[in-house]
């Protein structure tokens, strides 16, 4: 035992005094002084410290941090000598788990305790387990960007901060579900709210905010983000993070394994949110048509989320739905009086008849007939539209009969102008005929529009989705009526407040500049008709898929200098390839696929990455905008992700990950 | 409950009776004497008839005979199975061909599916609506419920089953059927009965049975618009009757049964579509032979992820301007959401692109002899049009490529963008049908004997570099660069080990070669992927139609 003394008080062993500060790194911290020898084990030292402090407390999470070496002393059976600790070492006895503020992919802030002593990879895995996000290997943490302290005036109002620091997870087992959420969330109303925040999509952002947030204007800007990734193989403490710091949690690797709406509500939602912000902030470019689809999906998801219909998939298979509807129909009939006209009833299909104004634009070869809107008696039955001069002539031959199956239906609506037109592009063997139906009011419009849409898909108004389609159209019109758009559009009435979405919150700012709100709304509506039947998770999944199929999807950009080149270029890293991109023009110069990669080396001293591909193709570059560690980790990470197998489930080969991504720093 | 059950039974037999009536009435006038056409006259209209009578009417004698022989075979098969349920002797119903029809329209479909989907047949057999006095009535309803149900539930269940049955029966009475004349390779034709629930895959399987061909994956149904001079491959998941109903009555369009290696070229040699390097000159004629493993991983990457990857395809094509004779050269790009072009004076960044067409309402066709007919710059044209358009129209879009290879890439790219994963599912089913245990054993020979006609210039870079916008200039630069790199690269490898590395042990653990991904295709995309989403008759519930219920009543 250290500290043997003679009667005169002289130490006769080789013991010396070790001073340990208690608490986090703080020069003012209280300290204890121990008598130790080089042979003292860390475990013994820990015990002594606790004894010295003389306070009753749960110390189990505490460990010693060696400040100079930036290292935790976690091997309790190691001696001080083995660690190389001498009397001058500045040691801090502090908790391994400390609170941090996470900025989630949905941009909400969440306070929780993260491990400051484990490699980041494990710390992230623990965070993801807490948030119930599967496949934590796809996520990582970034430093928050340095805030510019210029604008003190418009201090952002105190945002809601969710707190999960008190939640403790039982280790090992997968969290059980309780009341539709992982059990550890159902403890209090507060944590429950937190789960809802995590698992449900956020409402669209304020368009003004969208305008204000920084957007990348060039490829160079897109490289900024990637310099902030933390190192997966080192702990937070080693990377200079302190308690209370803000960190971003993001999906880092764009290779999403086994997305499952049933088991992954939080993961799916957060991924959707990341994708949505990616589109809104123009991180990934898309075309106008694509943006309308994204906007329509957001609108739809938001609507479902507000109406609480998070629920089950509405119809996995339309055919099944129809069958159910027909079955119900038949059942009703069978239960009722012994009707003999079952056949009739089954085949009866609701029809629409009304006076509408019709405008035809017939493009016969070489001849363009233009006639103004004329009042006609229009009968819409099954998928066929027939019109007559007047109701009296209806039994006779119609002026024209159009089968709407396969036709294109385009809304042409101006609510404030009370214009409710349906433009139909009806295919026929001769080509397309264009016809405009003008309805009197919203209600009529919604019914006819819904009918046209179903007919274009070859379904009739007997379809079970007809009423909901009508409702969806009315809802969308009301959105337009509340003057959605403009800066000061105040929704009228409580009902409208829920629906009164601003279409500008659904598209990237460049479309705000390009279109007026009233131009945007019908286009979103048009795109919406293709997604209106999706359930929430289906819609989110669809959004993610559309995002994934963008050509620029999932490329992380880094400024590099290729060996032998005189100018900086961009290296794009995607889940299956490396791309060399011209910095100025943005053109792809060359692509190398990971599947052809033999090996890669990093020379940490000259900050150079050298890669060898099949057939002796060698590439080398030094990293400019980010450290080469980040590039290295990206490549290794993607290689790691490609080794995942369905059969293995969620088991994570952490060693392999660290092997592939680490290796540059001695622990 | 018991009473209501009886009621139901009563109703049920009413219903069945009614349906019999219905089928009878359908049958009454189905016996027109086959109207022999003048022999030797060109027989053009193979399909396009909206109802059976007419199509039968139009058949030539020998066609009809052959068809009848088929039908009789099918029907007797079906009847063998249903015989215990049918009180009447099937013999009486079946003698001369001409008397066959009434029975056929009721039960024909049933038997017809026999070779297509054995599953569905056996299910029918079990489920078949028995005549009222049948002992089977008392049997517990299939399928047996997993857990014991209360009586009420059981009754409800029984009722539901019966209703289902009735619905099926109703549907069958109304199933639309077409007689399709299919042109064979050897200029002969075969007439087939196709009902509206059959997909191309079913019809192909049917044809396999009839022709005893080798059943390889390249066999396809092929539609030719004689008048428009366009043609295309039927996708295996397409509903044949639906496609054919778009044809007009007097159409000269034809359906062919032939082998097209373009059909699934992308799955045999994905590198030609996904890794094609346009930057390199086609000087070296190397149809890059990618090894099977790389192909597999490329396919898996492109088709088995959470979203499919559409090949990156862009380049200048000629576009026939609407209604005009001139062709304009424009720069087009393929994206999952459609074809885009670069407007004048703009760059090809996503935000500047203008949408040319989206695929939802159009099909893709090959244009034939466009050079002659439309003065196209080359004969390598593809055409996009709404399937219903049958005559020349300004709504038909003609595009012209520089060479056959580009054409095939665009057509395949568009098919991938339009049909997505379905295409891959179709392929896997075709492979399974071809009797191969694994698609890779098929790929072996396929790549060993590269396609000679379709894709002749398979010039993929050996290293599999994706070209994207690699133009020749940059390619040259690249080449130089690469030489420089190869020359110098020995050094950094050394440098890695020596110079100022302060601590030796930090050195490259990282220089591990990337572990070859060990994936088993069958696990990852095999079994789960091939299960279609209730497409086709192989789904769990056989009689479930693909499209909605109720089907339109047969034309009077």
């Amino acid at each position: 035992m250290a500290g043997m003394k003679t009667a005169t008080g002289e130490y006769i062993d080789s013991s010396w005094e070790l001073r340990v500060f208690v608490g986090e790194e703080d020069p003012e911290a209280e300290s204890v002084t121990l008598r130790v020898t080089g042979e003292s084990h860390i475990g013994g030292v820990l015990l002594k410290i606790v004894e010295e402090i003389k306070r009753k407390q749960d110390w189990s999470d505490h460990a010693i941090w060696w400040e100079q070496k930036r290292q935790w002393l976690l091997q309790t059976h190691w001696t001080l000598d083995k660690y190389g600790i001498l009397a001058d070492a500045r040691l801090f006895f502090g908790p391994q788990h400390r609170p941090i503020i996470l900025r989630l992919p949905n941009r909400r802030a969440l306070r929780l305790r993260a491990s400051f002593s484990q490699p980041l990879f494990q710390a992230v895995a623990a965070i993801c387990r807490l948030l119930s996000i599967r496949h934590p290997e796809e996520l990582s943490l970034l430093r928050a960007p340095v805030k510019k302290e210029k604008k003190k005036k418009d201090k952002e109002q105190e945002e809601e901060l969710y707190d999960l620091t008190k939640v403790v997870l039982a280790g090992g087992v997968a969290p059980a579900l309780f009341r539709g959420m992982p059990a550890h969330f159902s403890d209090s109303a507060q944590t429950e709210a937190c789960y809802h925040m995590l698992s449900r999509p956020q409402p669209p952002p304020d368009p003004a905010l969208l305008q204000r947030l920084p957007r990348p204007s060039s490829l160079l800007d897109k490289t900024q983000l990637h310099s902030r990734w933390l190192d997966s193989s080192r702990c937070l403490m080693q990377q200079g993070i302190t308690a209370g710091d803000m960190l971003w949690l993001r999906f880092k690797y764009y290779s999403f394994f086994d997305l499952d709406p049933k088991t992954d509500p939080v993961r799916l939602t957060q991924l959707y949110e990341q994708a949505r912000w990616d589109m809104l902030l123009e991180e990934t470019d898309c075309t106008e048509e694509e943006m309308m689809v994204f906007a329509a999906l957001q609108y739809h998801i938001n609507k479902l989320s507000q109406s609480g219909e998070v629920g089950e998939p509405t119809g996995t298979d339309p055919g099944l739905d129809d069958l159910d509807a027909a079955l119900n129909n038949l059942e009703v009939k069978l239960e009722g009086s012994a009707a003999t006209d079952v056949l009739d009833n089954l085949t009866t299909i609701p029809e629409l008849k009304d006076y509408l104004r019709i405008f035809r634009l017939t493009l016969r070869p070489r001849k363009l007939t233009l006639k103004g809107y004329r009042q006609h008696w229009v009968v819409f039955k099954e998928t066929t539209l027939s019109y007559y001069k007047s109701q009296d002539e209806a039994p006779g031959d119609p002026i024209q009969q159009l089968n709407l199956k396969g036709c294109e239906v385009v809304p042409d609506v101006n609510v404030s102008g009370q214009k409710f037109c349906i433009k139909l592009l009806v295919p026929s063997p001769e080509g397309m005929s264009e016809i405009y139906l003008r309805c009197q009011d919203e209600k009529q419009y919604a019914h006819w529009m819904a009918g046209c849409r179903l007919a274009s898909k070859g379904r009739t108004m007997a379809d079970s989705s007809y009423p909901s389609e009508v409702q969806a159209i009315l809802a969308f019109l009301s959105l337009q009526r509340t003057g959605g758009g403009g800066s000061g559009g105040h929704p009228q009435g409580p009902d409208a407040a829920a629906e009164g979405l601003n279409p500008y919150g659904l598209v990237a700012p460049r479309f705000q500049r390009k279109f007026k709100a009233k131009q945007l709304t019908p286009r979103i509506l048009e795109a919406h008709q293709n997604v209106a039947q999706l359930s929430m998770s289906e819609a989110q999944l669809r959004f993610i898929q559309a995002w994934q199929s963008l050509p620029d999807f999932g490329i992380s950009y880094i400024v590099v200098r290729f060996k032998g080149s005189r100018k900086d270029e961009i290296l794009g890293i995607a889940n299956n390839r490396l791309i060399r991109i011209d910095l100025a023009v943005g053109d792809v110069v060359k692509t190398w696929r990971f599947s052809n990669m033999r090996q890669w080396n990093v020379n940490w001293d000259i900050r150079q990455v050298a890669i060898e591909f099949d057939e002796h193709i060698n590439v080398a570059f030094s990293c400019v905008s980010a450290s080469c560690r980040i590039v290295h980790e990206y490549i290794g990470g993607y290689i790691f992700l490609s080794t995942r197998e369905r059969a293995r489930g969620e088991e994570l080969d952490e060693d392999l990950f660290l092997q592939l991504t680490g290796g540059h720093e001695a622990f | 409950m018991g009473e209501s059950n009886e009621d139901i039974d009563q109703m049920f037999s009413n219903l069945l009776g009614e349906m019999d009536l219905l089928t009878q009435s359908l049958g009454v006038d189905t016996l027109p004497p086959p109207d022999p056409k003048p022999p030797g006259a060109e027989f053009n209209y193979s399909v396009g008839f909206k109802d059976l009578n007419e199509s039968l009417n139009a058949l030539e004698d020998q066609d009809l005979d052959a068809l009848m022989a088929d039908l009789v075979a099918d029907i007797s098969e079906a009847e063998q199975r249903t015989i215990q349920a049918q009180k009447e002797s099937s013999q009486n119903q079946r003698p001369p061909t001409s008397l066959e029809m009434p029975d056929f329209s009721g039960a024909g479909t049933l038997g017809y599916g026999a070779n297509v989907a054995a599953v569905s047949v056996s299910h029918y057999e079990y489920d078949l609506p028995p005549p009222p006095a049948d002992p089977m009535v008392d049997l517990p309803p299939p399928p047996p419920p997993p857990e014991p149900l209360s009586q009420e539930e059981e009754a409800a269940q029984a009722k539901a089953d019966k209703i289902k049955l009735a619905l099926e029966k109703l549907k069958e009475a109304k199933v639309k059927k077409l007689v399709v004349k299919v042109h064979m390779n050897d200029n002969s034709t075969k007439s087939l009965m196709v009902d509206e629930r059959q997909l191309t895959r079913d019809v192909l399987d049917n044809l396999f049975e009839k022709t005893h061909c080798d059943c390889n994956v390249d066999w396809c149904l092929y539609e030719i618009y004689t008048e428009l001079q366009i043609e295309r491959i039927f996708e295996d998941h397409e509903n044949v009757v639906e496609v054919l109903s778009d044809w007009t009555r007097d159409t000269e369009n034809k359906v062919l049964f032939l082998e097209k290696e373009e059909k699934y070229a992308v799955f045999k040699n994905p590198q030609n579509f996904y890794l094609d390097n346009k930057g390199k000159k086609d000087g070296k004629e190397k149809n890059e032979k990618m090894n099977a493993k790389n192909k597999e991983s490329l396919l898996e990457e492109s088709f088995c992820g959470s979203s499919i990857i559409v090949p990156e395809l862009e380049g200048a094509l000629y576009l026939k301007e609407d209604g005009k004779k001139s062709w304009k050269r424009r720069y087009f790009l393929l994206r999952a959401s459609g074809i885009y072009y670069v407007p004048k004076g703009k760059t090809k960044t996503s935000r500047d692109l203008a949408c040319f067409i989206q695929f939802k309402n159009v099909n893709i066709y090959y244009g034939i002899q466009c050079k002659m007919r439309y003065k196209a710059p080359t004969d390598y044209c593809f055409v996009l049009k709404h399937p219903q358009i049958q005559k020349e129209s300004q709504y038909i879009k003609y595009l012209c490529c520089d060479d056959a290879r580009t054409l095939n890439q665009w057509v395949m790219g568009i098919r991938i963008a339009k049909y997505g994963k379905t295409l891959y599912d179709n392929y896997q089913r075709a492979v399974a049908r071809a009797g191969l245990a694994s698609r890779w054993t098929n790929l072996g020979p396929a790549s060993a004997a590269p396609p000679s006609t379709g894709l002749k210039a398979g010039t993929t870079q050996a290293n599999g570099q994706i070209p994207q916008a690699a133009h020749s200039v940059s390619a040259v630069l690249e080449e130089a660069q690469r030489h420089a790199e190869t020359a110098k690269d020995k050094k950094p490898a050394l440098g890695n080990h020596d110079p100022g590395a302060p601590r030796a042990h930090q050195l490259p653990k990282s220089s591990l070669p990337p572990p070859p991904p060990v994936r088993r295709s069958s696990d990852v995309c095999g079994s789960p992927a091939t299960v279609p989403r209730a497409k086709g008759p192989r789904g769990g519930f056989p009689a479930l139609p693909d499209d909605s219920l109720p089907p339109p009543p047969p034309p009077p």
Side-chain angles (χ1 to χ4, degrees), chain A residues 287 290 322 330 334 343 405-406 429 510 545 548 563 576 588 590-591 596 598 601 615 617-618 663, chain B residues 11 163 170 301 306 335 337 340 351 386 388 390-391 462-463 465 468 478 481 485 506 511 514 548:
Chain A
T287 65
E290 287 156 354
D322 292 348
L330 185 65
L334 289 173
L343 272 178
K405 200 172 169 186
R510 71 191 169 93
Q545 283 167 353
Q548 283 176 301
K563 205 168 156 197
N576 57 357
V588 173
K590 191 142 201 157
T591 302
N596 295 318
R598 285 266 167 88
N601 296 289
E615 312 203 343
I617 294 163
N618 287 289
Chain B
M11 289 244 349
I163 292 167
L170 278 177
E301 184 183 300
S306 42
R335 295 169 75 97
S337 58
Y340 292 79
R351 53 180 64 193
H386 193 289
Q388 270 173 270
Q390 301 289 316
K391 306 256 162 64
N463 50 13
Q465 287 156 340
Q468 277 143 349
E478 202 54 50
Q481 171 94 33
E485 277 163 9
Q506 7 175 306
S511 53
S548 55

Side-chain angles (χ1 to χ4, degrees), chain A residues 144-156:
Chain A
V146 187
K147 275 238 174 78
K148 282 171 196 148
E149 292 295 328
K150 273 190 266 175
K151 295 176 207 158
K152 284 250 164 111
K153 276 182 270 174
D154 54 10
K155 240 196 175 169
E156 286 170 33

Side-chain angles (χ1 to χ4, degrees), chain A residues 262-291:
Chain A
K262 283 199 192 70
T263 49
D264 282 335
V266 177
R267 182 169 171 230
L268 189 65
T269 302
Q270 295 303 323
L271 185 55
Y272 158 72
E273 290 282 356
Q274 184 164 336
R276 178 240 288 251
W277 281 98
D278 191 66
M279 297 315 302
L280 289 181
L281 294 182
E282 299 174 15
E283 290 279 351
T284 305
D285 265 343
C286 70
T287 65
E288 209 174 291
E289 285 73 18
E290 287 156 354
M291 186 46 95

Side-chain angles (χ1 to χ4, degrees), chain B residues 79-95:
Chain B
E79 277 169 355
Q80 291 291 311
R81 296 166 191 227
T82 58
I83 199 150
Q84 71 273 57
Q86 306 276 349
K87 287 277 176 196
E88 314 92 320
S89 121
S90 59
Q91 290 303 320
N92 291 344
Q93 291 191 338
R94 194 158 51 85

Side-chain angles (χ1 to χ4, degrees), chain B residues 48 92 140 166 239 250 309 336 344 363 381 410 459 491 496 506 521:
Chain B
N92 291 344
N239 181 305
D250 53 344
I309 299 174
K344 249 189 200 132
N363 276 348
C381 291
W410 275 95
T459 56
K491 280 175 199 159
N496 217 350
Q506 7 175 306
S521 65

